Coordinates of all heavy atoms in Angstrom, one line a residue:
K1 N 0.6 -11.2 4.6 CA 0.1 -10.2 5.6 C 1.3 -9.4 6.1 O 1.3 -8.2 6.2 CB -0.4 -11.0 6.8 CG -1.8 -11.5 6.5 CD -2.3 -12.2 7.8 CE -3.7 -12.7 7.6 NZ -4.3 -13.4 8.8
K2 N 2.4 -10.0 6.2 CA 3.8 -9.4 6.6 C 4.1 -8.3 5.6 O 4.5 -7.2 6.0 CB 4.8 -10.4 6.8 CG 6.2 -9.8 7.4 CD 7.1 -10.9 7.5 CE 8.6 -10.3 7.9 NZ 9.6 -11.4 8.1
N3 N 4.2 -8.8 4.4 CA 4.6 -7.8 3.3 C 3.6 -6.7 3.1 O 4.0 -5.6 2.8 CB 4.8 -8.6 2.0 CG 6.2 -9.3 2.0 OD1 6.7 -9.5 3.0 ND2 6.5 -10.0 0.8
T4 N 2.4 -7.0 3.2 CA 1.3 -6.0 3.1 C 1.5 -4.8 4.3 O 1.5 -3.6 3.9 CB -0.1 -6.7 3.3 OG1 -0.4 -7.5 2.2 CG2 -1.3 -5.4 3.4
E5 N 1.7 -5.2 5.4 CA 2.0 -4.3 6.4 C 3.2 -3.5 6.2 O 3.3 -2.4 6.5 CB 2.1 -5.1 7.9 CG 0.7 -5.6 8.2 CD 0.9 -6.5 9.5 OE1 2.0 -6.7 10.0 OE2 -0.1 -7.2 9.9
K6 N 4.3 -4.2 5.8 CA 5.5 -3.5 5.5 C 5.3 -2.4 4.5 O 5.9 -1.3 4.7 CB 6.6 -4.6 5.0 CG 7.9 -4.0 4.5 CD 8.7 -5.0 3.7 CE 9.8 -4.3 2.8 NZ 10.6 -5.4 2.1
W7 N 4.7 -2.7 3.4 CA 4.7 -1.7 2.2 C 3.7 -0.7 2.6 O 3.9 0.6 2.2 CB 4.4 -2.4 0.9 CG 5.6 -3.0 0.4 CD1 5.9 -4.4 0.3 CD2 6.7 -2.4 -0.1 NE1 7.2 -4.5 -0.2 CE2 7.8 -3.2 -0.4 CE3 7.1 -0.9 -0.2 CZ2 9.0 -2.9 -0.9 CZ3 8.3 -0.6 -0.7 CH2 9.3 -1.6 -1.0
L8 N 2.6 -1.0 3.2 CA 1.5 0.0 3.6 C 2.2 1.1 4.6 O 2.1 2.4 4.5 CB 0.3 -0.5 4.2 CG -0.6 -1.2 3.1 CD1 -1.8 -1.9 4.0 CD2 -1.0 -0.3 2.1
K9 N 3.1 0.7 5.4 CA 3.8 1.5 6.4 C 4.9 2.2 5.6 O 4.9 3.5 5.9 CB 4.5 0.6 7.5 CG 5.1 1.6 8.6 CD 5.6 0.6 9.6 CE 6.4 1.5 10.7 NZ 6.9 0.6 11.9
R10 N 5.7 1.6 4.8 CA 6.7 2.3 4.0 C 6.1 3.5 3.3 O 6.8 4.5 3.0 CB 7.4 1.4 3.1 CG 8.5 2.0 2.3 CD 9.6 2.7 3.2 NE 10.6 3.5 2.4 CZ 10.4 4.8 2.2 NH1 9.2 5.4 2.6 NH2 11.3 5.4 1.5
L11 N 4.9 3.2 2.7 CA 4.2 4.3 1.9 C 3.4 5.1 2.6 O 2.7 6.0 1.9 CB 3.6 3.5 0.6 CG 4.6 2.9 -0.3 CD1 3.9 2.0 -1.3 CD2 5.2 4.1 -1.3
E12 N 3.3 5.0 3.9 CA 2.6 6.0 4.8 C 1.1 5.9 4.5 O 0.5 7.0 4.6 CB 3.2 7.3 4.8 CG 4.7 7.4 5.2 CD 5.2 8.7 5.2 OE1 4.5 9.7 5.0 OE2 6.4 9.1 5.2
V13 N 0.6 4.7 4.3 CA -0.9 4.6 4.2 C -1.4 3.5 5.0 O -2.4 3.0 4.9 CB -1.2 4.3 2.7 CG1 -1.1 5.6 1.9 CG2 -0.6 3.2 2.0
E14 N -0.6 3.2 6.1 CA -1.0 2.0 7.0 C -2.4 2.4 7.7 O -3.2 1.4 8.0 CB -0.1 1.7 8.0 CG 0.3 2.7 9.1 CD 1.5 3.7 8.6 OE1 1.6 3.9 7.4 OE2 2.2 4.1 9.6
E15 N -2.6 3.7 8.0 CA -3.9 4.0 8.6 C -5.1 3.7 7.8 O -6.3 3.8 8.3 CB -3.9 5.4 9.0 CG -3.9 6.4 7.8 CD -3.7 7.9 8.1 OE1 -4.7 8.4 8.7 OE2 -2.6 8.4 7.9
Y16 N -5.1 3.4 6.5 CA -6.1 3.1 5.7 C -6.2 1.7 5.4 O -7.0 1.4 4.5 CB -6.0 3.9 4.3 CG -5.7 5.4 4.5 CD1 -4.5 5.9 4.0 CD2 -6.7 6.2 5.0 CE1 -4.4 7.2 4.1 CE2 -6.4 7.6 5.2 CZ -5.3 8.0 4.8 OH -5.0 9.5 5.0
A17 N -5.5 0.9 6.0 CA -5.4 -0.6 5.7 C -6.8 -1.2 5.9 O -7.1 -2.2 5.1 CB -4.5 -1.3 6.8
K18 N -7.7 -0.8 6.7 CA -9.0 -1.5 7.0 C -10.1 -0.6 6.2 O -11.4 -1.0 6.4 CB -9.3 -1.6 8.4 CG -8.3 -2.4 9.1 CD -8.1 -3.8 8.6 CE -7.1 -4.7 9.4 NZ -6.8 -5.9 8.9
R19 N -9.8 0.2 5.4 CA -10.9 1.0 4.6 C -10.9 0.5 3.1 O -10.0 -0.1 2.6 CB -10.4 2.5 4.7 CG -10.7 3.1 6.1 CD -10.1 4.5 6.1 NE -10.7 5.3 5.2 CZ -10.5 6.7 5.1 NH1 -9.7 7.2 6.0 NH2 -11.0 7.5 4.1
K20 N -12.1 0.8 2.6 CA -12.3 0.6 1.2 C -11.5 1.6 0.5 O -11.4 2.6 0.7 CB -13.8 0.5 0.8 CG -14.7 -0.4 1.4 CD -16.1 -0.3 1.1 CE -17.0 -1.3 1.7 NZ -18.4 -1.2 1.2
L21 N -10.8 0.9 -0.7 CA -10.1 1.8 -1.4 C -10.8 3.0 -2.1 O -10.1 4.2 -2.1 CB -9.6 0.9 -2.6 CG -8.4 1.6 -3.6 CD1 -7.2 1.7 -2.8 CD2 -8.2 0.9 -4.9
E22 N -11.9 3.0 -2.3 CA -12.7 4.1 -3.0 C -12.8 5.3 -2.0 O -13.1 6.4 -2.4 CB -14.0 3.6 -3.4 CG -15.0 3.3 -2.4 CD -16.4 2.8 -2.8 OE1 -16.4 2.8 -4.1 OE2 -17.1 2.4 -2.1
T23 N -12.6 5.1 -0.6 CA -12.8 6.1 0.3 C -11.4 6.9 0.5 O -11.5 7.9 1.1 CB -13.1 5.6 1.6 OG1 -12.1 4.7 2.2 CG2 -14.4 4.7 1.5
L24 N -10.4 6.5 -0.2 CA -9.0 7.2 -0.1 C -9.0 8.2 -1.2 O -9.6 8.1 -2.2 CB -8.0 6.1 -0.3 CG -7.5 5.4 0.9 CD1 -8.7 4.6 1.5 CD2 -6.3 4.5 0.6
S25 N -8.1 9.3 -0.9 CA -7.8 10.3 -2.0 C -7.1 9.5 -3.2 O -6.5 8.4 -3.1 CB -6.9 11.3 -1.3 OG -5.6 10.8 -1.2
K26 N -7.1 10.3 -4.3 CA -6.5 9.7 -5.5 C -5.0 9.3 -5.2 O -4.5 8.3 -5.6 CB -6.6 10.7 -6.7 CG -6.1 10.1 -7.9 CD -6.3 11.2 -9.1 CE -5.7 10.7 -10.4 NZ -5.8 11.6 -11.5
G27 N -4.3 10.3 -4.5 CA -2.9 10.1 -4.1 C -2.7 8.9 -3.4 O -1.7 8.1 -3.5
N28 N -3.5 8.7 -2.3 CA -3.3 7.6 -1.5 C -3.7 6.2 -2.2 O -3.1 5.2 -1.8 CB -4.3 7.6 -0.2 CG -3.5 8.7 0.7 OD1 -2.4 8.7 0.9 ND2 -4.3 9.5 1.5
Q29 N -4.8 6.2 -3.0 CA -5.0 5.1 -3.8 C -3.8 4.7 -4.7 O -3.4 3.5 -4.9 CB -6.2 5.4 -4.7 CG -7.6 5.4 -4.0 CD -8.8 5.6 -5.0 OE1 -8.7 5.0 -6.0 NE2 -9.8 6.3 -4.7
Q30 N -3.2 5.7 -5.2 CA -2.0 5.5 -6.0 C -0.8 4.8 -5.3 O -0.2 3.9 -5.7 CB -1.4 6.8 -6.6 CG -0.2 6.6 -7.3 CD -0.2 5.8 -8.7 OE1 -1.2 5.2 -8.9 NE2 0.7 6.1 -9.5
K31 N -0.7 5.2 -3.9 CA 0.3 4.6 -3.0 C -0.1 3.2 -2.7 O 0.8 2.3 -2.7 CB 0.5 5.4 -1.9 CG 1.1 6.7 -2.1 CD 1.9 7.4 -1.0 CE 0.8 7.9 0.1 NZ 1.4 8.7 1.2
V32 N -1.4 2.9 -2.4 CA -1.8 1.5 -2.2 C -1.5 0.7 -3.4 O -1.0 -0.5 -3.3 CB -3.3 1.6 -1.9 CG1 -3.9 0.1 -1.8 CG2 -3.6 2.2 -0.6
Q33 N -1.8 1.2 -4.6 CA -1.5 0.4 -5.9 C 0.0 0.2 -6.0 O 0.3 -1.0 -6.4 CB -1.9 1.4 -7.2 CG -1.7 0.6 -8.4 CD -2.8 -0.2 -8.8 OE1 -4.0 0.2 -8.8 NE2 -2.6 -1.3 -9.6
L34 N 0.9 1.1 -5.6 CA 2.3 0.8 -5.7 C 2.6 -0.3 -4.6 O 3.4 -1.2 -4.9 CB 3.1 2.0 -5.3 CG 4.6 1.8 -5.3 CD1 5.1 1.3 -6.8 CD2 5.3 3.1 -5.1
A35 N 2.0 -0.3 -3.3 CA 2.3 -1.2 -2.3 C 1.9 -2.6 -2.9 O 2.5 -3.6 -2.6 CB 1.6 -0.9 -1.1
A36 N 0.7 -2.7 -3.6 CA 0.2 -4.0 -4.2 C 1.3 -4.5 -5.3 O 1.5 -5.7 -5.4 CB -1.1 -3.9 -4.8
T37 N 1.9 -3.5 -6.0 CA 2.9 -3.8 -7.0 C 4.2 -4.5 -6.4 O 4.8 -5.4 -6.8 CB 3.4 -2.6 -7.7 OG1 2.1 -2.0 -8.4 CG2 4.4 -3.0 -8.8
L38 N 4.5 -4.0 -5.1 CA 5.8 -4.5 -4.5 C 5.5 -5.5 -3.4 O 6.5 -6.0 -2.8 CB 6.5 -3.3 -3.9 CG 6.8 -2.2 -4.8 CD1 7.3 -0.9 -4.1 CD2 7.7 -2.6 -5.9
V39 N 4.3 -5.9 -3.2 CA 4.0 -6.9 -2.1 C 4.7 -8.2 -2.2 O 4.9 -8.8 -1.2 CB 2.5 -7.0 -1.8 CG1 1.9 -7.9 -3.0 CG2 2.1 -7.6 -0.5
C40 N 5.1 -8.7 -3.3 CA 5.8 -9.9 -3.5 C 7.1 -9.8 -3.6 O 7.9 -10.7 -4.1 CB 5.1 -10.6 -4.8 SG 3.5 -11.2 -4.5
D41 N 7.7 -8.5 -3.3 CA 9.2 -8.3 -3.4 C 9.7 -8.8 -4.7 O 10.7 -9.7 -4.8 CB 9.9 -9.0 -2.2 CG 11.4 -8.7 -2.0 OD1 11.7 -7.4 -2.4 OD2 12.1 -9.5 -1.6
P42 N 9.3 -8.2 -5.7 CA 9.6 -8.6 -7.2 C 11.0 -8.3 -7.5 O 11.6 -7.3 -7.0 CB 8.6 -8.0 -8.0 CG 8.3 -6.7 -7.2 CD 8.3 -7.1 -5.8
D43 N 11.6 -9.1 -8.3 CA 13.0 -8.9 -8.8 C 12.9 -7.9 -10.0 O 13.9 -7.2 -10.3 CB 13.7 -10.1 -9.2 CG 14.0 -11.0 -8.1 OD1 14.4 -10.6 -7.1 OD2 13.7 -12.3 -8.3
I44 N 11.9 -7.9 -10.7 CA 11.7 -6.9 -11.8 C 10.5 -6.1 -11.6 O 9.5 -6.5 -11.3 CB 11.5 -7.8 -13.1 CG1 12.7 -8.8 -13.4 CG2 11.3 -6.8 -14.3 CD1 12.4 -9.7 -14.5
V45 N 10.8 -4.8 -11.6 CA 9.6 -3.8 -11.3 C 9.4 -2.9 -12.5 O 10.3 -2.3 -13.0 CB 9.9 -2.9 -10.2 CG1 8.8 -2.0 -9.8 CG2 10.3 -3.8 -8.8

């Protein structure tokens, strides 16, 4: 939860946190996808 909030805020999509992904624009969906990629603080990206 902590990392999810961190990355949604960093990628400026925190306002869509409680919405279904399909309701977002293509660009915002892409930023959510990146947030999901980084949510575990990976060493290899």
Side-chain angles (χ1 to χ4, degrees):
K1 288 181 177 178
K2 180 180 178 181
N3 285 7
T4 294
E5 291 173 359
K6 167 189 169 181
W7 281 110
L8 290 179
K9 182 176 181 179
R10 177 62 189 88
L11 290 163
E12 300 183 8
V13 285
E14 70 269 30
E15 64 185 286
Y16 308 116
K18 302 302 182 183
R19 288 173 53 174
K20 292 182 179 180
L21 186 69
E22 66 182 1
T23 66
L24 277 59
S25 68
K26 184 178 180 181
N28 284 327
Q29 288 187 36
Q30 174 72 343
K31 291 199 290 182
V32 170
Q33 181 90 38
L34 180 62
T37 300
L38 302 175
V39 71
C40 290
D41 191 25
D43 294 317
I44 301 170
V45 181

